[in-house]
Amino acid sequence: MSTRPWLAAGRRCTHASRIGYVRRTLEPHCNETFSRDLPGEVEVQFISVNQTGPQATPMLESGEDVTAYLDKQQNCEQGEDDAKVHCQYVLLHPLIGRSPLLIPHRQMLHLLESWNVFPEICRYLNAFGKKYFNKDEAFAGFDCVEYEDSNNSSVNKLEMCYLLKYAASKRNEDTKVDAWAIRHALIYQQTCLNTRESSHILVRLSDNMKLALKEALSAPREEVQNFSRDWTRLHSLVLGEVDDGWRQMTNSLDSEVSEIFHRLIASGVIPQDFNMFDSPATVAQDMKHLQRLTDSLRRVSTMISLNIDTVDCLINRVEMFNKGSYIYPDDLLPFLRSLHQFKQEHKFALKNSSAVLERATSLANQLRDTVALRNSEINKNHTEQLGGNTAALANLSEQAGRETSVVKTLTVLALVFVPASFVADFLQMGYVTTDPDNARIWRAAQDLQLYAALAIPLVALTMGFYIVIELRKASHHGQKGPVGAP
């Protein structure tokens, strides 16, 4: 299909200025947003619908294939009515969650130039690509540009682009548990309201969205024609596949909160009642787990709120379509009612996630209070044990005091009796005698000299050994230095 000539009417800027702005905006982030033109790094699929039904191209796996397809569509002539394409889709997706889109930068620019896409799409494309954290997760927006017909009397052409947040699951084969992640899909639509021709760029649709789109394009020919010619049907399709994912992710997080709640109920406060769930490692793990859960639930609530704002923007735009002078023969009230229904579903989902978030926050506070009470009981027990130890030390000190008093008494008695005992023993040795006629006269025996010659050196030798040992001990303690010195 050739470039839309009808976009020239009422265009806000020239085609060249559009492409120039797109190039300048996408160029700084092209390495992170788009893949390289290498085998296995390109996957682009085009789906076109004509009077005979949908025609899906095989998965284009090289930049040359994408360029050849776009050139063919751009250079093709109008042809027969049955072969004329009135609706086409291009599906883009990354290899994994935070990886570049599987289309080279040059081919993406060629696509935007061939379809004359408005520059507003650039900021949405930059929300995809290689990310090292949850960058641009809370980024959202809604852009809609209207084009008047040649008489400037009414608006019959428009371009619309927005991001839609959804919850994606990936099953862990080891734990048999679904791991949930927050993603966003880019919905771009370019449509002519009088001819009902449209083009769509769909980036990273959820699995449910792609399945629903496949079912819609695999329906009987008349239903496919109705779907492709009604610009509102695609929005109803993608919006209808969002709510269930948020419900399942919230239920998954709620089940994890319930597991921690049951462990907290079974835990004890008094040290004698502690069980396997009361170990410091388990408590620390539960605290970290609750922190992760509250963070995830806050993110879920934020994403749902952003979807509600996006739906509000779409509702306001449709209400303007209904009230203004727009060339569209069908009534938009059914679509408007469905948008209000999607908004209401998101409001209920927001209340659900907010309730689980409040429960997780309350449980985290309860766990902190339980840990504080447990620590208080442990400190109380330690205080009681220290009190008992202090009383035992006091008893030992009192007993030591009594023993010291006994030793003191014995020492005093020794000071009294040892000198008298020495004198008695010395006199009994016969070294000193008294005169039988006069007791006041003492005579020393000749053995006294031998006794003195032996005893005095032995005493001196013994005292010398004692003094040497004491000096060595003092020198050894002096080399070690005072207590606490390096």
Side-chain angles (χ1 to χ4, degrees):
M1 186 171 58
S2 60
T3 304
R4 301 293 181 184
W6 43 265
L7 285 177
R11 186 181 302 159
R12 293 187 175 184
C13 57
T14 64
H15 180 72
S17 62
R18 276 190 171 199
I19 296 303
Y21 177 83
V22 169
R23 290 180 182 273
R24 291 191 305 270
T25 306
L26 295 182
E27 183 67 30
H29 311 283
C30 62
N31 293 331
E32 291 79 17
T33 307
F34 307 106
S35 65
R36 298 171 298 177
D37 191 1
L38 296 175
E41 296 191 18
V42 179
E43 286 187 6
V44 182
Q45 186 174 23
F46 289 88
I47 302 175
S48 58
V49 181
N50 54 26
Q51 292 295 335
T52 60
Q55 304 291 329
T57 64
M59 189 67 69
L60 304 180
E61 298 181 350
S62 70
E64 293 181 357
D65 293 340
V66 177
T67 301
Y69 178 84
L70 292 173
D71 291 340
K72 178 181 177 182
Q73 292 295 317
Q74 189 173 7
N75 296 327
C76 70
E77 298 181 356
Q78 297 295 330
E80 301 294 334
D81 291 340
D82 290 343
K84 182 180 178 182
V85 174
H86 58 262
C87 182
Q88 60 181 357
Y89 306 86
V90 57
L91 276 65
L92 304 175
H93 60 89
L95 183 62
I96 56 177
R98 297 176 184 172
S99 63
L101 299 177
L102 297 179
I103 182 174
H105 175 237
R106 187 165 60 88
Q107 278 67 35
M108 189 67 202
L109 291 177
H110 193 180
L111 171 64
L112 300 179
E113 181 178 2
S114 299
W115 289 9
N116 201 12
V117 178
F118 65 0
E120 286 82 351
I121 196 175
C122 295
R123 64 193 189 107
Y124 298 98
L125 289 174
N126 286 331
F128 296 90
K130 187 184 299 183
K131 311 288 183 182
Y132 300 100
F133 63 100
N134 296 326
K135 185 179 179 181
D136 290 328
E137 181 182 84
F139 170 73
F142 181 91
D143 282 289
C144 185
V145 179
E146 305 160 2
Y147 300 91
E148 298 176 350
D149 58 11
S150 57
N151 298 325
N152 294 329
S153 59
S154 62
V155 175
N156 64 344
K157 302 134 189 169
L158 59 91
E159 282 183 277
M160 189 180 301
C161 185
Y162 58 88
L163 289 179
L164 191 62
K165 310 294 181 177
Y166 64 89
S169 65
K170 183 178 180 182
R171 188 165 185 80
N172 190 325
E173 296 300 333
D174 296 331
T175 61
K176 303 300 181 183
V177 176
D178 290 336
W180 291 90
I182 296 175
R183 300 282 184 258
H184 48 222
L186 168 61
I187 312 299
Y188 168 80
Q189 185 181 60
Q190 178 188 106
T191 184
C192 177
L193 300 180
N194 56 354
T195 63
R196 298 195 178 187
E197 297 179 1
S198 60
S199 299
H200 308 82
I201 299 176
L202 307 176
V203 181
R204 200 165 71 175
L205 296 181
S206 67
D207 293 339
N208 291 338
M209 293 177 188
K210 288 187 285 189
L211 181 60
L213 180 62
K214 180 179 178 181
E215 292 177 352
L217 297 178
S218 301
R221 187 167 64 91
E222 183 177 354
E223 295 182 13
V224 173
Q225 296 298 324
N226 293 333
F227 176 83
S228 60
R229 289 185 175 277
D230 187 350
W231 68 274
T232 66
R233 297 284 292 274
L234 177 67
H235 304 289
S236 298
L237 183 144
V238 295
L239 288 171
E241 300 297 333
V242 175
D243 179 68
D244 187 64
W246 293 125
R247 179 181 62 82
Q248 293 186 34
M249 183 175 181
T250 304
N251 289 339
S252 177
L253 297 174
D254 193 11
S255 66
E256 296 183 46
V257 174
S258 298
E259 291 179 4
I260 300 178
F261 174 77
H262 294 315
R263 284 200 297 270
L264 181 60
I265 293 299
S267 63
V269 176
I270 302 176
Q272 291 80 0
D273 297 336
F274 283 176
N275 52 41
M276 59 180 295
F277 302 121
D278 299 320
S279 65
T282 302
V283 173
Q285 183 179 359
D286 286 343
M287 293 289 289
K288 294 179 180 179
H289 197 179
L290 278 173
Q291 185 65 33
R292 182 186 67 82
L293 291 174
T294 53
D295 177 72
S296 298
L297 287 166
R298 287 190 181 96
R299 291 164 57 200
V300 168
S301 299
T302 301
M303 298 304 107
I304 296 175
S305 299
L306 292 175
N307 277 355
I308 292 176
D309 293 339
T310 302
V311 175
D312 274 334
C313 292
L314 191 54
I315 289 174
N316 294 334
R317 184 61 62 177
V318 173
E319 288 177 345
M320 292 176 58
F321 291 166
N322 250 359
K323 296 177 182 178
S325 56
Y326 295 87
I327 300 177
Y328 194 77
D330 295 340
D331 187 10
L332 292 176
L333 289 180
F335 179 50
L336 196 58
R337 284 194 294 267
S338 65
L339 290 178
H340 282 288
Q341 180 182 353
F342 297 143
K343 179 180 177 180
Q344 190 62 44
E345 291 174 354
H346 275 70
K347 285 185 175 180
F348 285 133
L350 179 60
K351 289 184 177 180
N352 185 21
S353 63
S354 300
V356 179
L357 173 59
E358 183 178 356
R359 184 182 175 208
T361 304
S362 175
L363 186 59
N365 294 333
Q366 184 179 355
L367 181 57
R368 293 189 184 95
D369 294 340
T370 302
V371 171
L373 289 174
R374 188 179 301 163
N375 292 337
S376 176
E377 289 294 328
I378 293 175
N379 293 333
K380 178 181 177 183
N381 290 343
H382 287 171
T383 303
E384 293 176 353
Q385 291 178 0
L386 290 175
N389 294 337
T390 303
L393 290 175
N395 292 333
L396 290 176
S397 178
E398 184 179 357
Q399 184 178 356
R402 290 195 298 267
E403 293 176 355
T404 302
S405 178
V406 172
V407 172
K408 179 181 178 181
T409 303
L410 293 176
T411 303
V412 172
L413 292 176
L415 292 175
V416 173
F417 289 101
V418 167
S421 176
F422 172 76
V423 172
D425 292 339
F426 185 77
L427 293 176
Q428 288 179 0
M429 292 179 184
Y431 297 127
V432 178
T433 59
T434 58
D435 190 354
D437 297 332
N438 188 359
R440 294 182 179 179
I441 299 174
W442 290 15
R443 294 184 176 89
Q446 294 182 354
D447 294 339
L448 180 60
Q449 296 179 355
L450 179 61
Y451 173 78
L454 293 177
I456 293 175
L458 288 175
V459 171
L461 182 61
T462 302
M463 294 302 296
F465 275 118
Y466 174 75
I467 292 172
V468 170
I469 292 174
E470 289 297 323
L471 290 175
R472 285 188 175 182
K473 287 184 178 180
S475 175
H476 181 69
H477 287 295
Q479 290 178 357
K480 285 187 175 181
V483 177

